[in-house]
Protein backbone atom coordinates (compact mmCIF):
# COMPACT_ATOMS: atom_id res chain seq x y z
CA UNK A 1 0.00 0.00 0.00
CA UNK A 2 1.33 3.43 -0.89
CA UNK A 3 0.41 6.02 1.70
CA UNK A 4 0.87 9.71 1.09
CA UNK A 5 2.25 11.82 3.91
CA UNK A 6 1.80 15.00 1.93
CA UNK A 7 0.92 17.89 4.17
CA UNK A 8 2.98 16.67 7.11
CA UNK A 9 5.42 19.53 6.62
CA UNK A 10 3.00 21.62 8.68
CA UNK A 11 3.35 19.29 11.65
CA UNK A 12 5.98 19.88 14.32
CA UNK A 13 8.98 17.53 14.20
CA UNK A 14 7.87 15.37 17.12
CA UNK A 15 4.46 14.76 15.48
CA UNK A 16 6.15 13.60 12.29
CA UNK A 17 8.47 11.38 14.28
CA UNK A 18 5.64 9.77 16.26
CA UNK A 19 3.60 9.25 13.08
CA UNK A 20 6.56 7.52 11.52
CA UNK A 21 7.12 5.21 14.48
CA UNK A 22 3.80 3.47 13.78
CA UNK A 23 5.42 1.91 10.71
CA UNK A 24 7.66 0.01 13.07
CA UNK A 25 11.02 -1.06 11.72
CA UNK A 26 10.07 0.34 8.32
CA UNK A 27 10.69 3.75 9.88
CA UNK A 28 13.42 2.95 12.36
CA UNK A 29 15.56 0.51 10.42
CA UNK A 30 14.84 0.93 6.71
CA UNK A 31 16.61 3.59 4.59
CA UNK A 32 15.53 6.97 5.84
CA UNK A 33 12.38 8.47 4.38
CA UNK A 34 13.11 11.91 5.73
CA UNK A 35 16.09 14.19 5.22
CA UNK A 36 15.97 15.49 8.79
CA UNK A 37 13.13 15.30 11.33
CA UNK A 38 14.20 18.54 12.96
CA UNK A 39 13.86 20.93 10.03
CA UNK A 40 12.07 18.90 7.41
CA UNK A 41 10.11 19.73 4.31
CA UNK A 42 7.90 16.74 3.49
CA UNK A 43 5.72 18.24 0.76
CA UNK A 44 5.05 15.63 -1.92
CA UNK A 45 7.01 12.88 -0.17
CA UNK A 46 5.54 9.38 -0.28
CA UNK A 47 6.54 6.25 1.57
CA UNK A 48 5.58 2.61 1.59
CA UNK A 49 4.36 1.40 4.95
CA UNK A 50 3.63 -2.31 4.90
CA UNK A 51 1.97 -2.30 8.31
CA UNK A 52 -0.74 0.34 8.05
CA UNK A 53 -1.76 3.79 6.92
CA UNK A 54 0.15 6.88 7.99
CA UNK A 55 -2.01 9.86 7.14
CA UNK A 56 -0.62 13.25 8.09
CA UNK A 57 -3.90 14.99 7.18
CA UNK A 58 -5.97 12.98 9.67
CA UNK A 59 -4.96 13.40 13.32
CA UNK A 60 -5.92 10.69 15.79
CA UNK A 61 -7.48 12.12 18.95
CA UNK A 62 -5.70 10.73 21.98
CA UNK A 63 -7.11 11.02 25.49
CA UNK A 64 -5.55 10.37 28.87
CA UNK A 65 -5.66 6.81 30.12
CA UNK A 66 -5.01 4.65 33.13
CA UNK A 67 -2.59 1.75 33.26
CA UNK A 68 -5.54 -0.52 32.48
CA UNK A 69 -6.33 1.57 29.40
CA UNK A 70 -2.75 1.20 28.16
CA UNK A 71 -2.93 -2.56 28.67
CA UNK A 72 -6.18 -2.59 26.68
CA UNK A 73 -4.47 -0.59 23.93
CA UNK A 74 -1.70 -3.18 23.83
CA UNK A 75 -4.18 -6.05 23.66
CA UNK A 76 -5.92 -4.31 20.77
CA UNK A 77 -2.58 -4.35 18.95
CA UNK A 78 -2.25 -8.08 19.61
CA UNK A 79 0.28 -7.73 22.44
CA UNK A 80 -1.50 -10.18 24.71
CA UNK A 81 1.38 -10.42 27.20
CA UNK A 82 0.93 -6.78 28.17
CA UNK A 83 0.05 -6.27 31.84
CA UNK A 84 -0.01 -3.53 34.47
CA UNK A 85 3.42 -4.79 35.59
CA UNK A 86 4.74 -4.21 32.06
CA UNK A 87 3.46 -0.61 32.16
CA UNK A 88 5.11 -0.12 35.56
CA UNK A 89 8.36 -1.51 34.19
CA UNK A 90 8.22 0.92 31.26
CA UNK A 91 7.77 3.79 33.72
CA UNK A 92 10.74 2.62 35.79
CA UNK A 93 12.92 2.41 32.66
CA UNK A 94 11.90 5.86 31.38
CA UNK A 95 9.94 4.50 28.43
CA UNK A 96 6.90 6.22 29.94
CA UNK A 97 6.41 9.14 32.30
CA UNK A 98 4.96 8.70 35.78
CA UNK A 99 1.16 8.67 35.66
CA UNK A 100 -0.48 11.74 37.14
CA UNK A 101 -2.91 11.78 40.09
CA UNK A 102 -6.55 12.52 39.36
CA UNK A 103 -9.23 13.24 41.96
CA UNK A 104 -12.82 13.47 40.82
CA UNK A 105 -14.65 12.62 44.07
CA UNK A 106 -14.62 13.79 47.65
CA UNK A 107 -13.62 10.37 48.92
CA UNK A 108 -10.35 8.89 47.73
CA UNK A 109 -8.66 9.29 44.37
CA UNK A 110 -9.22 7.80 40.98
CA UNK A 111 -6.50 5.67 39.38
CA UNK A 112 -3.56 7.71 38.11
CA UNK A 113 -3.63 8.59 34.44
CA UNK A 114 -1.10 8.98 31.65
CA UNK A 115 -1.47 12.14 29.54
CA UNK A 116 -2.61 11.69 25.92
CA UNK A 117 0.94 12.18 24.56
CA UNK A 118 2.25 9.34 26.70
CA UNK A 119 -0.58 7.03 25.73
CA UNK A 120 0.24 7.67 22.06
CA UNK A 121 3.96 7.15 22.71
CA UNK A 122 3.21 3.80 24.36
CA UNK A 123 1.16 2.69 21.35
CA UNK A 124 3.71 3.87 18.78
CA UNK A 125 6.59 2.14 20.54
CA UNK A 126 4.61 -1.08 20.79
CA UNK A 127 3.72 -0.91 17.10
CA UNK A 128 7.37 -0.46 16.20
CA UNK A 129 8.49 -3.28 18.46
CA UNK A 130 5.84 -5.81 17.56
CA UNK A 131 5.78 -5.21 13.79
CA UNK A 132 9.49 -5.31 13.19
CA UNK A 133 10.43 -7.82 10.47
CA UNK A 134 13.39 -8.69 12.70
CA UNK A 135 11.02 -10.10 15.30
CA UNK A 136 11.53 -7.37 17.86
CA UNK A 137 13.37 -4.09 18.07
CA UNK A 138 15.72 -4.18 21.09
CA UNK A 139 14.70 -2.04 24.05
CA UNK A 140 17.89 0.02 23.70
CA UNK A 141 16.60 1.18 20.30
CA UNK A 142 13.25 2.18 21.79
CA UNK A 143 15.00 4.03 24.62
CA UNK A 144 16.92 6.04 22.03
CA UNK A 145 13.59 6.99 20.43
CA UNK A 146 12.43 8.34 23.80
CA UNK A 147 15.68 10.27 24.26
CA UNK A 148 15.53 11.57 20.70
CA UNK A 149 12.04 12.95 21.34
CA UNK A 150 13.34 14.66 24.48
CA UNK A 151 16.18 16.20 22.48
CA UNK A 152 13.96 17.67 19.75
CA UNK A 153 10.79 18.57 21.67
CA UNK A 154 9.65 19.79 25.10
CA UNK A 155 6.11 18.39 25.23
CA UNK A 156 6.15 14.60 24.83
CA UNK A 157 9.03 13.41 27.00
CA UNK A 158 9.70 15.61 30.02
CA UNK A 159 13.04 15.70 31.80
CA UNK A 160 12.12 13.53 34.84
CA UNK A 161 11.25 10.73 32.40
CA UNK A 162 14.33 11.46 30.27
CA UNK A 163 16.58 11.16 33.33
CA UNK A 164 15.35 7.61 33.91
CA UNK A 165 15.69 6.87 30.20
CA UNK A 166 19.30 8.11 30.27
CA UNK A 167 19.94 5.74 33.18
CA UNK A 168 18.49 2.82 31.18
CA UNK A 169 20.48 3.83 28.11
CA UNK A 170 23.68 4.07 30.15
CA UNK A 171 23.15 0.66 31.73
CA UNK A 172 22.74 -0.89 28.28
CA UNK A 173 25.86 0.81 26.94
CA UNK A 174 28.69 -1.68 26.56
CA UNK A 175 26.47 -4.65 27.38
CA UNK A 176 26.95 -6.22 23.98
CA UNK A 177 27.81 -9.86 23.54
CA UNK A 178 31.48 -10.73 23.95
CA UNK A 179 31.79 -11.68 20.28
CA UNK A 180 30.31 -8.37 19.12
CA UNK A 181 32.47 -6.45 21.59
CA UNK A 182 35.61 -8.12 20.25
CA UNK A 183 34.60 -7.26 16.70
CA UNK A 184 34.03 -3.61 17.61
CA UNK A 185 37.34 -3.36 19.45
CA UNK A 186 39.18 -5.10 16.62
CA UNK A 187 37.82 -2.51 14.19
CA UNK A 188 39.06 0.31 16.46
CA UNK A 189 42.49 -1.28 16.73
CA UNK A 190 42.80 -1.64 12.97
CA UNK A 191 41.75 1.97 12.49
CA UNK A 192 44.36 3.27 14.94
CA UNK A 193 47.19 0.85 14.17
CA UNK A 194 50.18 1.90 12.11
CA UNK A 195 50.89 -0.63 9.32
CA UNK A 196 54.16 -1.49 11.11
CA UNK A 197 52.40 -2.43 14.37
CA UNK A 198 53.14 -6.04 15.31
CA UNK A 199 50.59 -8.69 16.21
CA UNK A 200 51.73 -8.43 19.84
CA UNK A 201 51.14 -4.67 19.88
CA UNK A 202 47.71 -5.04 18.28
CA UNK A 203 46.78 -7.80 20.70
CA UNK A 204 47.86 -5.75 23.74
CA UNK A 205 45.75 -2.81 22.59
CA UNK A 206 42.77 -5.04 21.93
CA UNK A 207 42.90 -6.63 25.39
CA UNK A 208 43.06 -3.32 27.25
CA UNK A 209 40.23 -1.86 25.17
CA UNK A 210 38.05 -4.94 25.66
CA UNK A 211 38.63 -4.79 29.41
CA UNK A 212 37.66 -1.12 29.51
CA UNK A 213 34.51 -1.73 27.47
CA UNK A 214 33.52 -4.70 29.61
CA UNK A 215 34.15 -3.16 33.04
CA UNK A 216 33.74 0.55 32.37
CA UNK A 217 37.02 1.14 34.22
CA UNK A 218 40.08 2.58 32.53
CA UNK A 219 43.69 2.08 33.59
CA UNK A 220 44.96 5.24 31.96
CA UNK A 221 48.67 4.41 32.20
CA UNK A 222 48.19 0.93 30.73
CA UNK A 223 45.87 2.24 28.02
CA UNK A 224 48.30 5.02 27.09
CA UNK A 225 51.21 2.60 26.82
CA UNK A 226 49.27 0.09 24.69
CA UNK A 227 47.74 2.62 22.31
CA UNK A 228 50.92 4.68 21.96
CA UNK A 229 52.79 1.58 20.82
CA UNK A 230 49.95 0.75 18.45
CA UNK A 231 49.85 4.29 17.09
CA UNK A 232 53.65 4.77 16.93
CA UNK A 233 55.23 1.29 16.93
CA UNK A 234 58.87 2.34 16.82
CA UNK A 235 61.46 1.53 19.48
CA UNK A 236 62.61 4.46 21.58
CA UNK A 237 66.25 5.32 20.95
CA UNK A 238 68.40 5.97 24.04
CA UNK A 239 68.67 9.67 24.76
CA UNK A 240 66.11 10.54 22.07
CA UNK A 241 62.49 11.56 22.52
CA UNK A 242 59.84 9.14 21.35
CA UNK A 243 58.66 9.78 17.81
CA UNK A 244 54.88 9.99 17.99
CA UNK A 245 52.55 9.81 15.03
CA UNK A 246 49.22 11.57 14.59
CA UNK A 247 46.42 10.58 12.24
CA UNK A 248 45.15 13.16 9.78
CA UNK A 249 41.77 14.66 10.62
CA UNK A 250 39.51 17.27 9.07
CA UNK A 251 40.61 19.89 11.58
CA UNK A 252 44.26 18.91 11.95
CA UNK A 253 46.42 16.02 13.19
CA UNK A 254 44.85 13.79 15.85
CA UNK A 255 47.29 12.31 18.40
CA UNK A 256 46.46 9.17 20.32
CA UNK A 257 45.88 11.21 23.49
CA UNK A 258 42.80 12.78 21.90
CA UNK A 259 41.23 9.34 21.42
CA UNK A 260 42.10 8.33 24.97
CA UNK A 261 40.74 11.54 26.48
CA UNK A 262 37.42 11.33 24.64
CA UNK A 263 36.97 7.65 25.48
CA UNK A 264 37.68 8.29 29.17
CA UNK A 265 35.38 11.33 29.30
CA UNK A 266 32.52 9.46 27.66
CA UNK A 267 32.96 6.48 29.99
CA UNK A 268 32.79 8.82 32.98
CA UNK A 269 29.69 10.51 31.58
CA UNK A 270 27.96 7.17 31.02
CA UNK A 271 28.81 6.21 34.60
CA UNK A 272 27.23 9.42 35.93
CA UNK A 273 24.08 8.85 33.88
CA UNK A 274 23.92 5.24 35.02
CA UNK A 275 23.92 6.36 38.67
CA UNK A 276 21.51 9.25 37.96
CA UNK A 277 24.13 11.68 39.22
CA UNK A 278 23.25 14.32 36.62
CA UNK A 279 20.21 16.18 37.92
CA UNK A 280 17.27 17.40 35.87
CA UNK A 281 18.35 21.04 35.91
CA UNK A 282 21.74 20.12 34.49
CA UNK A 283 20.20 17.94 31.79
CA UNK A 284 17.95 20.82 30.76
CA UNK A 285 20.87 23.27 30.78
CA UNK A 286 23.05 21.06 28.59
CA UNK A 287 20.15 20.34 26.22
CA UNK A 288 19.79 24.12 25.75
CA UNK A 289 23.49 24.24 24.80
CA UNK A 290 23.23 21.16 22.60
CA UNK A 291 20.28 22.19 20.43
CA UNK A 292 21.79 25.24 18.67
CA UNK A 293 25.18 23.53 18.39
CA UNK A 294 23.62 20.46 16.77
CA UNK A 295 21.46 22.60 14.49
CA UNK A 296 24.53 24.55 13.38
CA UNK A 297 26.43 21.34 12.71
CA UNK A 298 23.57 19.96 10.64
CA UNK A 299 23.42 23.17 8.61
CA UNK A 300 27.18 23.14 7.94
CA UNK A 301 27.49 19.40 7.45
CA UNK A 302 27.42 19.37 3.62
CA UNK A 303 30.12 22.03 3.42
CA UNK A 304 32.25 20.26 6.03
CA UNK A 305 32.13 17.10 3.92
CA UNK A 306 34.13 18.95 1.25
CA UNK A 307 37.06 19.77 3.57
CA UNK A 308 40.35 18.66 2.03
CA UNK A 309 38.81 17.98 -1.38
CA UNK A 310 36.34 15.59 0.24
CA UNK A 311 38.91 13.20 1.71
CA UNK A 312 37.16 13.45 5.09
CA UNK A 313 33.63 13.16 3.73
CA UNK A 314 33.05 9.96 5.70
CA UNK A 315 33.41 11.92 8.94
CA UNK A 316 30.32 13.93 8.04
CA UNK A 317 28.25 11.29 6.25
CA UNK A 318 24.65 11.38 7.34
CA UNK A 319 23.10 8.13 8.64
CA UNK A 320 20.69 6.59 6.17
CA UNK A 321 18.24 5.22 8.76
CA UNK A 322 16.13 6.92 11.39
CA UNK A 323 17.65 4.66 14.01
CA UNK A 324 21.06 5.82 12.85
CA UNK A 325 19.97 9.42 13.25
CA UNK A 326 18.68 8.76 16.75
CA UNK A 327 21.94 7.00 17.68
CA UNK A 328 23.98 9.89 16.31
CA UNK A 329 21.93 12.55 18.11
CA UNK A 330 22.01 10.69 21.43
CA UNK A 331 25.76 10.08 21.18
CA UNK A 332 26.33 13.75 20.34
CA UNK A 333 24.44 14.79 23.47
CA UNK A 334 26.61 12.49 25.61
CA UNK A 335 29.72 14.19 24.18
CA UNK A 336 28.20 17.63 24.78
CA UNK A 337 27.39 16.64 28.35
CA UNK A 338 30.95 15.39 28.87
CA UNK A 339 32.27 18.75 27.68
CA UNK A 340 29.87 20.82 29.76
CA UNK A 341 30.73 18.83 32.90
CA UNK A 342 34.43 19.53 32.34
CA UNK A 343 35.20 15.86 31.87
CA UNK A 344 36.84 16.21 28.44
CA UNK A 345 39.22 18.88 29.70
CA UNK A 346 40.09 16.83 32.78
CA UNK A 347 40.55 13.66 30.70
CA UNK A 348 42.79 15.52 28.23
CA UNK A 349 45.00 16.70 31.09
CA UNK A 350 45.14 13.17 32.54
CA UNK A 351 45.99 11.68 29.13
CA UNK A 352 48.79 14.20 28.60
CA UNK A 353 50.15 13.49 32.09
CA UNK A 354 50.16 9.76 31.29
CA UNK A 355 51.97 10.47 28.01
CA UNK A 356 54.68 12.48 29.75
CA UNK A 357 55.07 9.78 32.38
CA UNK A 358 55.47 7.16 29.63
CA UNK A 359 58.04 9.35 27.83
CA UNK A 360 60.20 9.45 30.93
Amino acid sequence: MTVSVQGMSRLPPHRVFLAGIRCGAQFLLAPSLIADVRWMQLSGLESRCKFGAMNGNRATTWVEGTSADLVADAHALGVMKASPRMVTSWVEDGMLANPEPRKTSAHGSDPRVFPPEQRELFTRLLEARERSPLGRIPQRSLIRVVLYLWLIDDTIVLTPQARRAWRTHARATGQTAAVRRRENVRAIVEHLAHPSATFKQRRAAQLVLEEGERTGRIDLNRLTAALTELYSPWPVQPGMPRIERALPGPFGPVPVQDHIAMWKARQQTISLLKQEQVDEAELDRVRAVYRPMWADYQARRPAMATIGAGEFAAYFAEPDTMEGRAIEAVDAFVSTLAGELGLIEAASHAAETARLRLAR
Side-chain angles (χ1 to χ4, degrees), residues 252-267:
V254 183
V256 69
Q257 283 72 34
D258 285 8
H259 294 288
I260 294 172
M262 183 55 72
W263 193 43
K264 180 176 176 64
R266 285 180 61 86
Q267 290 280 59

Side-chain angles (χ1 to χ4, degrees), residues 1-6 23 44-55:
M1 177 190 301
T2 300
V3 183
S4 173
V5 293
Q6 188 171 5
C23 285
L45 182 67
E46 291 191 345
S47 68
R48 292 188 177 274
C49 177
K50 69 184 280 190
F51 300 124
M54 179 172 65
N55 192 333

Side-chain angles (χ1 to χ4, degrees), residues 15 27 30 39 48 55 75 89 93 96 103 150 152 161 165 169 173 195 209 222 245 292 294 318 321 340 355:
R15 299 300 318 156
F27 188 76
W39 310 277
R48 292 188 177 274
N55 192 333
H75 289 171
S89 176
D93 289 342
L96 290 172
K103 187 176 177 65
W150 177 74
I152 66 174
Q161 177 188 353
H169 171 73
T173 300
L209 286 170
R222 183 179 167 213
R245 158 181 169 259
W294 190 243
E318 194 170 359
T321 68
E340 288 295 309
R355 184 191 73 82

Side-chain angles (χ1 to χ4, degrees), residues 34-288:
I34 301 170
D36 196 331
V37 299
R38 303 174 196 78
W39 310 277
M40 59 191 57
Q41 295 295 327
L42 291 181
S43 179
L45 182 67
E46 291 191 345
S47 68
R48 292 188 177 274
C49 177
K50 69 184 280 190
F51 300 124
M54 179 172 65
N55 192 333
N57 297 309
R58 184 180 69 249
T60 300
T61 300
W62 294 88
V63 297
E64 62 185 19
T66 64
S67 177
D69 291 328
L70 266 62
V71 171
D73 292 343
H75 289 171
L77 290 174
V79 186
M80 307 312 296
K81 292 184 179 180
S83 66
R85 176 57 196 155
M86 171 187 166
V87 174
T88 300
S89 176
W90 277 41
V91 171
E92 291 172 351
D93 289 342
M95 303 274 282
L96 290 172
N98 284 314
E100 300 170 355
R102 180 182 60 172
K103 187 176 177 65
T104 59
S105 64
H107 305 286
S109 298
D110 291 339
R112 290 174 175 261
V113 294
F114 293 90
E117 298 83 1
Q118 288 285 313
R119 188 173 181 180
E120 179 182 7
L121 177 62
F122 177 73
T123 299
R124 298 306 187 208
L125 292 176
L126 276 182
E127 286 176 329
R129 191 186 72 170
E130 296 302 316
R131 296 176 178 182
S132 165
L134 301 179
R136 288 210 171 184
I137 295 175
Q139 188 189 45
R140 61 180 177 272
S141 295
L142 299 182
I143 282 291
R144 283 193 290 259
V145 170
V146 172
L147 293 173
Y148 193 33
L149 284 169
W150 177 74
L151 286 172
I152 66 174
D153 183 74
D154 296 328
T155 61
I156 303 293
V157 177
L158 303 184
T159 305
Q161 177 188 353
R163 190 181 183 204
R164 296 195 304 275
W166 279 115
R167 178 195 63 199
T168 302
H169 171 73
R171 289 178 177 175
T173 300
Q175 292 185 356
T176 54
V179 172
R180 183 67 174 270
R181 188 164 54 241
R182 281 195 297 270
E183 291 175 352
N184 293 340
V185 168
R186 189 178 298 114
I188 294 172
V189 168
E190 290 307 311
H191 173 70
L192 298 180
H194 186 274
S196 299
T198 65
F199 172 81
K200 182 178 179 181
Q201 289 167 329
R202 293 168 192 261
R203 182 61 177 162
Q206 183 166 334
L207 289 175
V208 71
L209 286 170
E210 283 182 6
E211 181 180 342
E213 286 293 308
R214 185 181 69 254
T215 66
R217 296 186 296 272
I218 298 174
D219 184 333
L220 199 58
N221 292 330
R222 183 179 167 213
L223 178 65
T224 299
L227 291 190
T228 298
E229 287 202 4
L230 181 76
Y231 224 64
S232 308
W234 307 289
V236 179
Q237 301 299 321
M240 298 290 292
R242 172 187 284 275
I243 299 175
E244 294 192 19
R245 158 181 169 259
L247 284 176
F251 305 111
V254 183
V256 69
Q257 283 72 34
D258 285 8
H259 294 288
I260 294 172
M262 183 55 72
W263 193 43
K264 180 176 176 64
R266 285 180 61 86
Q267 290 280 59
Q268 290 175 320
T269 304
I270 289 296
S271 179
L272 292 175
L273 291 171
K274 187 183 299 185
Q275 302 301 323
E276 291 189 89
Q277 293 179 357
V278 183
D279 62 31
E280 294 169 18
E282 187 72 350
L283 287 173
D284 282 336
R285 183 189 72 81
V286 176
R287 182 176 60 171

